[in-house]
Amino acid sequence: MYGLLLGVRIVEGASFIAGPYCSLLLSQLGAEIIRFDAIGGSPDYRRWPLGPGGDSFYWEGLNKGKKSVALNLAMAEGRELAIAIVTTGGKDSGIFVTNYPESGFLSHDSLSKLRPDLVTAHVLGHADGTSAVDYTVNCGVGLPYMTGPQGTNRVPINHVLPAWDLLAGSTAAVSVLAAIEYRRRTGLGQLIRIPLSDVAAATLGNLGQIAEVAISGTDRPKYGNNLFGAFGRDFGCADGKRVMIVAITSKQWRAAIAALDLQSAISALEAELGMSLDSDEGARFLHRDRINAMVEQVVARYTLAALSQRLTSSGACFGVYRTVHEALTEDPSFVEANPIFAHVHHPSGCKYPTPGFPASFSGAARRDPSPAPVLGGDTEEVLTTLLRIPSAALASLHDRGVVRLADRPLSPR
Amino acid sequence: MYGLLLGVRIVEGASFIAGPYCSLLLSQLGAEIIRFDAIGGSPDYRRWPLGPGGDSFYWEGLNKGKKSVALNLAMAEGRELAIAIVTTGGKDSGIFVTNYPESGFLSHDSLSKLRPDLVTAHVLGHADGTSAVDYTVNCGVGLPYMTGPQGTNRVPINHVLPAWDLLAGSTAAVSVLAAIEYRRRTGLGQLIRIPLSDVAAATLGNLGQIAEVAISGTDRPKYGNNLFGAFGRDFGCADGKRVMIVAITSKQWRAAIAALDLQSAISALEAELGMSLDSDEGARFLHRDRINAMVEQVVARYTLAALSQRLTSSGACFGVYRTVHEALTEDPSFVEANPIFAHVHHPSGCKYPTPGFPASFSGAARRDPSPAPVLGGDTEEVLTTLLRIPSAALASLHDRGVVRLADRPLSPR
């Protein structure tokens, strides 16, 4: 939480990851985020993982620090309230992050008639409007056929991190800030469309993987846990722990080889091959089987503690394989002693380590991360303060089921 | 390429993905990016994948549209030029994206003495300054132990997409734009530190996965290609093609079941279990073995074409598994007919489909993506125009090996 974007107000009508993650980032930089939720919760309100009482840790994680207004969008009055919340306010408002249908009552076309300088960031599956989610995009861009053990090329392995959702969300956040800057200069609003599948295609292109296949005509096969194009793989220690050792630079390579006492064996290999494994990172990859066999033998002789000490003191680049539980309990720098985390009490009744913005700013004070909102917990404030709806009218809206005030108070379970 | 950030100038001294990806995004939104490169190329200049002539498609992909100034940073005069390029210019300049050592001559501390309003975005491995790359971060946050076939929990499977690098880069881009906005309001520059490992830890937290393990005390096991917490898995068609079918919403679930003609079988299963698989996405996950077996049988009866038609017409959410080559050759919407791509001729001598910014802006014209720079191709322009170094002095710098003009002209191979 930083106050860099203080004064900016964003309205979110979005579920799942990409949209909510976009405004989460902007919220953590100081923007005010007002979400409107369906009464009873939007479609991601029960998304796993769940807490002991059935509340979604996923929803809490992606919506912390935001305000929640619960509206019945099946009623015309509910829809009008949503439209009013999106389009109201001064020059630092009128920013809408959404994954609602493009042609519905929340379309940029109809909203911008009411507020011409509106900036709408619309995250969607495919650019043509057809439905897609992270996992149906990922299967189409080749990565599951590159993941996992060598020799199993036609056995797809799905990723477990929804990387395209997250990248679409952060691309949306960059886009929104650029559009705000542009609006400040020109007064113009606009519709930004961020299709998951284009984020994926562009990313493969940015990493050279479209060129690789377009020019060579050949797909990259599975290389197991080997890092592509240089040295890097997982190795097992004497005590059963595993490490990932990587050398993408000459410096990292020399450090790894020195830590493992492999200088003379590597020199002999270089002489045999007539190649420099130091200056040519690609040669490290081409001859990975020879190198890996040597490294494997050495690593297997050391416990993780002894190996870590050697690798660290020589300046090698490595990491230890851990489960989340191991990371939480064995490494204070991961979460417990990490200044980006704080123990926050959420509406689920659970108190747990909650991250703030992962970057730090020397010129702005970090504030503790906020809890997720109670569903509808900000309905009253937003309707009375922002839309200036009198209390009597609010009570009537509530009684008629157009809006819902807080589902429950925020109290410890 | 959009002109939203026109006038903003960013200097990049960075290798590999996170830093270059940060400024690539800003470049595609209209900012001018000046990179300084080591003479002969920075450490990522030969990073795989390579083209037929040994040029890096990776480097070209991440640095397209930027200017390249080749400097000898081992010489004091070369370092002074780098410092001058970073600190020169008016109010829309003085923005530096880097992964250089934090304590060196390019430290924010020393640079900001020359330019107090400097914004430095420093991408690094760990917050404590120790070295890490995407793959050594990823192994420590639990994901390789959640990836791949069920029952192999202690066999790590690395991801092949450098997701943390990319997310750190886009987080850096969001941060830079927020810092520019803050500087405009306050006049203040600052150092932004973006550690890969904190981006990873925060992301797991944002997805509820820290809470999940902190509260339950238990790690999530491998679930193979099953989507966690709802319905989704890969299935094989009669012609050997594979599809990923997903239902995270009730609507997607009803559409999938209808397309597969499984309504009555699912109703019978619901009656047997006493649960609604429609309203309770978690029940779909808990009973995935029963559901998957039914879906498997039906999918296996159809060719991909027949199945796609059924799924599409019922509005189900699905994707086809493809290699990159299959995606390029079978699906025009992926790259060939995708308006975010253009065929661009790069310094490698190769012409290939090159992505622009993946989002589209209704209020700003999209321009074709630019080629990567020739190494040092902009040395002369930047030194004479930006630093106002006379031609004679430039020639002397070149002759003494302080700078290098273009390594070679941009001509087709």
Side-chain angles (χ1 to χ4, degrees):
Chain A
M1 295 290 296
Y2 289 97
L4 298 161
L5 299 178
L6 229 55
V8 173
R9 185 199 300 137
I10 293 166
V11 178
E12 172 180 314
S15 297
F16 302 107
I17 298 175
Y21 184 58
C22 166
S23 21
L24 177 66
L25 291 171
L26 301 174
S27 155
Q28 291 175 327
L29 292 170
E32 177 190 10
I33 315 293
I34 301 174
R35 265 182 74 79
F36 54 81
D37 279 295
I39 291 175
S42 295
D44 59 347
Y45 189 60
R46 295 287 167 196
R47 188 90 180 86
W48 286 28
L50 305 180
D55 299 276
S56 170
F57 287 150
Y58 167 107
W59 192 89
E60 285 189 344
L62 287 159
N63 294 305
K64 53 183 174 276
K66 304 176 185 176
K67 294 179 175 172
S68 166
V69 177
L71 302 177
N72 185 345
L73 298 179
M75 297 174 76
E77 278 178 279
R79 293 194 293 273
E80 278 158 28
L81 286 172
I83 291 167
I85 293 170
V86 172
T87 55
T88 198
K91 66 179 176 48
D92 285 332
S93 57
I95 305 159
F96 182 40
V97 175
T98 181
N99 69 341
Y100 267 85
E102 289 191 283
S103 55
F105 72 98
L106 290 170
S107 77
H108 179 77
D109 264 8
S110 60
L111 292 171
S112 63
K113 289 202 177 79
L114 302 171
R115 176 161 187 156
D117 72 343
L118 183 72
V119 169
T120 300
H122 198 109
V123 294
L124 65 167
H126 294 294
D128 67 3
T130 55
S131 158
V133 297
D134 181 282
Y135 306 93
T136 65
V137 164
N138 191 53
C139 67
V141 300
L143 297 175
Y145 282 144
M146 292 182 229
T147 305
Q150 305 188 50
T152 63
N153 288 338
R154 297 304 293 194
V155 181
I157 293 187
N158 287 355
H159 67 187
V160 292
L161 180 77
W164 305 121
D165 267 339
L166 294 162
L167 285 166
S170 54
T171 301
V174 175
S175 303
V176 164
L177 291 179
I180 291 176
E181 156 75 14
Y182 187 70
R183 184 172 73 174
R184 187 199 323 277
R185 261 194 356 255
T186 62
L188 299 174
Q190 59 190 316
L191 169 65
I192 312 166
R193 298 175 85 242
I194 308 106
L196 287 188
S197 58
D198 282 347
V199 170
T203 300
L204 286 197
N206 293 335
L207 297 173
Q209 294 190 260
I210 302 286
E212 176 188 12
V213 176
I215 298 294
S216 74
T218 310
D219 279 309
R220 189 187 294 186
K222 294 193 183 201
Y223 287 119
N225 283 346
N226 288 285
L227 180 148
F228 178 71
F231 170 75
R233 214 198 68 185
D234 61 317
F235 297 94
C237 299
D239 50 3
K241 299 281 187 179
R242 292 195 83 75
V243 292
M244 177 82 194
I245 309 178
V246 167
I248 52 174
T249 66
S250 300
K251 200 175 145 202
Q252 289 170 348
W253 174 247
R254 287 192 295 268
I257 293 313
L260 301 169
D261 229 348
L262 281 171
Q263 294 103 326
S264 57
I266 291 294
S267 295
L269 179 61
E270 286 178 313
E272 180 193 329
L273 300 170
M275 293 177 115
S276 162
L277 297 171
D278 185 332
S279 62
D280 183 356
E281 65 197 75
R284 286 174 231 147
F285 183 69
L286 289 172
H287 300 287
R288 63 190 178 280
D289 289 347
R290 300 285 297 276
I291 298 169
N292 287 343
M294 293 178 192
V295 173
E296 205 165 87
Q297 267 201 329
V298 177
V299 169
R301 290 205 303 266
Y302 291 99
T303 61
L304 173 62
L307 183 79
S308 295
Q309 202 186 3
R310 292 185 72 91
L311 291 167
T312 303
S313 64
S314 85
C317 185
F318 75 106
V320 181
Y321 283 84
R322 307 182 298 207
T323 67
V324 174
H325 189 256
E326 287 166 352
L328 284 174
T329 51
E330 295 171 9
D331 177 6
S333 76
F334 179 58
V335 163
E336 275 307 320
N338 188 335
I340 74 166
F341 280 85
H343 285 261
V344 176
H345 175 232
H346 289 274
S348 58
C350 298
K351 188 175 177 179
Y352 52 78
T354 301
F357 196 72
S360 64
F361 292 82
S362 69
R366 177 181 285 280
R367 305 173 204 171
D368 270 353
S370 307
V374 171
L375 201 63
D378 307 285
T379 305
E380 182 168 358
E381 187 215 305
V382 170
L383 266 57
T384 55
T385 310
L386 190 69
L387 300 188
R388 293 166 200 271
I389 293 178
S391 309
L394 180 67
S396 160
L397 287 168
H398 181 258
D399 292 347
R400 286 178 293 121
V402 180
V403 307
R404 178 78 68 89
L405 307 187
D407 262 27
R408 57 175 164 186
L410 177 58
S411 64
R413 164 167 291 138
Chain B
M1 294 291 296
Y2 287 97
L4 298 162
L5 299 178
L6 229 55
V8 173
R9 185 200 299 138
I10 292 165
V11 178
E12 172 181 315
S15 299
F16 301 106
I17 298 175
Y21 183 59
C22 166
S23 19
L24 177 67
L25 291 171
L26 301 174
S27 155
Q28 291 175 326
L29 292 170
E32 177 190 12
I33 315 292
I34 301 174
R35 266 182 71 81
F36 55 83
D37 278 294
I39 291 175
S42 295
D44 58 347
Y45 190 59
R46 296 287 168 196
R47 189 89 180 87
W48 286 30
L50 305 180
D55 299 276
S56 170
F57 287 150
Y58 168 106
W59 192 88
E60 285 188 344
L62 287 160
N63 294 304
K64 53 184 175 278
K66 304 177 185 176
K67 294 180 175 172
S68 166
V69 177
L71 302 176
N72 184 345
L73 298 179
M75 298 174 76
E77 279 177 279
R79 294 194 292 273
E80 279 158 26
L81 288 171
I83 292 167
I85 293 169
V86 172
T87 55
T88 198
K91 64 179 177 46
D92 285 333
S93 57
I95 304 157
F96 183 40
V97 175
T98 182
N99 69 340
Y100 268 85
E102 288 191 282
S103 54
F105 70 99
L106 291 170
S107 76
H108 179 76
D109 264 6
S110 59
L111 293 169
S112 63
K113 289 201 176 76
L114 302 170
R115 175 160 188 157
D117 72 342
L118 183 72
V119 170
T120 300
H122 198 108
V123 295
L124 66 167
H126 294 293
D128 67 3
T130 54
S131 159
V133 297
D134 180 283
Y135 306 93
T136 65
V137 164
N138 191 53
C139 66
V141 300
L143 297 175
Y145 283 144
M146 292 182 229
T147 306
Q150 304 188 48
T152 63
N153 289 337
R154 296 306 292 193
V155 181
I157 293 187
N158 287 356
H159 67 188
V160 293
L161 179 77
W164 305 121
D165 267 339
L166 294 162
L167 285 167
S170 54
T171 302
V174 175
S175 302
V176 164
L177 291 179
I180 291 175
E181 156 75 13
Y182 187 70
R183 183 171 73 174
R184 188 198 324 275
R185 261 195 355 254
T186 62
L188 299 174
Q190 59 191 316
L191 169 64
I192 312 165
R193 298 175 84 242
I194 308 104
L196 288 187
S197 59
D198 281 347
V199 170
T203 301
L204 286 197
N206 293 336
L207 297 172
Q209 294 190 260
I210 301 285
E212 175 187 14
V213 176
I215 298 295
S216 74
T218 311
D219 280 308
R220 190 187 293 187
K222 295 193 182 200
Y223 288 119
N225 283 346
N226 288 287
L227 178 148
F228 178 71
F231 170 75
R233 213 199 67 185
D234 61 317
F235 297 95
C237 299
D239 51 3
K241 300 279 187 181
R242 292 195 85 74
V243 292
M244 178 81 194
I245 309 178
V246 167
I248 52 175
T249 66
S250 300
K251 201 175 147 204
Q252 289 170 348
W253 174 246
R254 287 191 294 266
I257 293 313
L260 301 169
D261 229 348
L262 281 171
Q263 294 103 324
S264 57
I266 290 294
S267 294
L269 179 60
E270 286 177 314
E272 180 194 330
L273 299 171
M275 295 177 112
S276 162
L277 298 170
D278 185 331
S279 63
D280 182 355
E281 64 198 77
R284 287 174 229 146
F285 183 69
L286 289 172
H287 299 286
R288 64 191 176 279
D289 290 346
R290 300 286 297 276
I291 298 168
N292 287 342
M294 294 179 191
V295 173
E296 204 167 88
Q297 268 201 330
V298 178
V299 169
R301 291 204 303 265
Y302 291 99
T303 61
L304 174 61
L307 183 78
S308 295
Q309 203 187 3
R310 292 185 72 90
L311 291 168
T312 302
S313 65
S314 85
C317 184
F318 74 106
V320 182
Y321 282 83
R322 309 181 298 207
T323 68
V324 174
H325 188 256
E326 287 165 353
L328 284 174
T329 52
E330 295 170 8
D331 177 6
S333 76
F334 178 58
V335 162
E336 275 308 320
N338 188 336
I340 74 165
F341 280 85
H343 284 261
V344 176
H345 174 230
H346 288 274
S348 59
C350 297
K351 189 174 176 179
Y352 52 78
T354 301
F357 195 73
S360 63
F361 292 83
S362 68
R366 178 180 284 279
R367 305 172 203 171
D368 270 353
S370 308
V374 171
L375 201 64
D378 307 286
T379 305
E380 183 169 357
E381 186 214 306
V382 170
L383 266 57
T384 56
T385 310
L386 190 68
L387 300 188
R388 295 168 198 272
I389 292 178
S391 309
L394 180 67
S396 160
L397 287 168
H398 182 259
D399 292 347
R400 287 179 291 120
V402 181
V403 307
R404 180 77 70 87
L405 308 186
D407 264 25
R408 55 176 166 187
L410 177 58
S411 64
R413 164 168 289 139

